[in-house]
Amino acid sequence: MSSALHLAVTEPVSAPARRLLIIHNPVAGRRRRGLMGRVVDALRQGGADVAVVETTGPRDAERLAGLAASGALTDGRIPDAIVASGGDGTINEVVNGLLAAATRSPPGPRLTPLGLIPLGTANVLAAELDLPSGVAELARTLAGAVPRTIHAGRANGRLFTMMAGVGLDAHVVEGVDPGVKRRIGKGAYVLESLAQIARWPSPRYRVITTDAAGHVREHEAASCIVAKGHFYGGRFVCAPDARLDESGFHVCLFEAGGRLAALGYGAALVTGRLARWTEAKGGSGYRVVPAVRVRIEGPVGDPVQGDGDTIARLPVDMETAAPFRVLAPPLRPVSRLP
């Protein structure tokens, strides 16, 4: 490593000292190994009080977040922020733990802001928040950024921060091999998508949306993604006008069924042409509708994916959850988003 690069990644952070509790998933980030340690070094050099705990298995990040929010992991002192170090699944667990701790009866502790050290395959929430990728810049954000308020969604009681989906999308998420995912990253989703499409039975889903004015509408779709943010699967744009700092959803309806349509949707998504699908198909095929509540019915027991993990089964009811705060730069206007 050159001296210039060494200085760039270990530069101390000059910002007001914060007490940070980092919940780290040691399984995540094989291709980004070492990032968390360098961020912690930069934080401590800048005067931050940093404690780190590691997860030991599924849902452990959620448990640890609930304990951390009450100060149980830091000698009774509630951290100024709780940082999720891992992929989108780890972040999802931490958010569920934080909001559950804040809504317990009797009343739980105050809602502690969330910070992110993105180590996963897609890091969709980090992309949506426009988090910096450099070590010093990311540490500076954790140490000094003003918390921003964003809104999560809730699906059958389980929270999601970016999107929830049914249909091919959810079956791919449920079917992907974790070992293959660790070895080849996003390529694992491509392989599983092709395998699912080859045997896809093309079920239909009934999507019932309620908008802000109380109007209830029914739709039929081959797949559906209920979006909180505009990114999907990394930096692919699915819902161009969705924003995390607004309540409600942008419901993406993939109306055409069959294998060829599934391949076409996938190609349109990765090439940035999904919004043009409706024009190409003569006014049908793909639509985005606003909603404050969503109910989806279909094959009973079908998976519902949220933030890249299975979080529920059909039928599913979705609504906006309580807002929470996250350490991130100011959200940009939609017109400036890619």
Side-chain angles (χ1 to χ4, degrees), residues 32-108:
R32 308 188 77 190
R33 193 177 301 279
L35 174 62
M36 201 253 331
R38 294 195 295 274
V39 171
V40 169
D41 287 345
L43 285 165
R44 286 174 173 161
Q45 289 176 34
D49 180 357
V50 183
V52 180
V53 294
E54 291 192 349
T55 62
T56 58
R59 294 289 178 94
D60 199 36
E62 183 174 346
R63 178 186 69 86
L64 291 171
L67 293 172
S70 67
L73 301 180
T74 47
D75 298 324
R77 298 181 306 160
I78 297 176
D80 295 316
I82 295 171
V83 181
S85 173
D88 291 313
T90 302
I91 295 167
N92 178 279
E93 289 189 19
V94 172
V95 170
N96 274 272
L98 288 179
L99 289 182
T103 56
R104 289 192 189 106
S105 181

Side-chain angles (χ1 to χ4, degrees), residues 188-206:
Y189 291 97
V190 176
L191 293 177
E192 184 61 27
S193 295
L194 295 175
Q196 290 284 348
I197 289 172
R199 58 178 182 269
W200 188 239
S202 296
R204 304 295 292 179
Y205 299 90
R206 181 171 175 246

Side-chain angles (χ1 to χ4, degrees), residues 114-307:
L114 171 72
L116 306 179
I117 300 177
L119 301 178
T121 302
N123 300 313
V124 187
L125 181 59
E128 190 78 21
L129 292 171
D130 201 24
L131 285 183
S133 57
V135 170
E137 294 81 5
L138 181 56
R140 209 172 271 117
T141 298
L142 295 173
V146 176
R148 305 293 170 182
T149 299
I150 65 175
H151 298 260
R154 192 187 306 275
N156 285 2
R158 188 77 184 164
L159 300 178
F160 60 94
T161 61
M162 280 298 299
M163 88 293 288
V166 302
L168 181 62
D169 164 75
H171 281 269
V172 169
V173 165
E174 185 166 69
V176 73
D177 186 309
V180 176
K181 179 181 173 182
R182 283 193 293 270
R183 289 194 298 272
I184 65 174
K186 292 181 182 179
Y189 291 97
V190 176
L191 293 177
E192 184 61 27
S193 295
L194 295 175
Q196 290 284 348
I197 289 172
R199 58 178 182 269
W200 188 239
S202 296
R204 304 295 292 179
Y205 299 90
R206 181 171 175 246
V207 182
I208 305 166
T209 60
T210 304
D211 66 18
H215 300 132
V216 179
R217 294 180 173 85
E218 294 188 12
H219 319 270
E220 187 178 292
S223 285
C224 176
I225 295 173
V226 179
K228 290 296 303 175
H230 86 302
F231 279 141
Y232 169 85
R235 292 183 177 270
F236 304 124
V237 176
C238 185
D241 297 323
R243 284 183 58 91
L244 290 174
D245 59 351
E246 297 177 352
S247 61
F249 306 108
H250 288 238
V251 182
C252 305
L253 301 166
F254 299 82
E255 297 171 323
R259 296 180 178 88
L260 289 178
L263 289 169
Y265 284 133
L269 179 66
V270 300
T271 59
R273 298 180 178 179
L274 189 56
R276 303 174 190 171
W277 180 276
T278 298
E279 296 176 6
K281 296 297 178 181
S284 66
Y286 170 75
R287 289 188 295 134
V288 180
V289 299
V292 295
R293 290 189 300 278
V294 183
R295 178 176 175 83
I296 305 178
E297 300 171 352
V300 174
D302 243 32
V304 179
Q305 74 90 2
D307 297 336

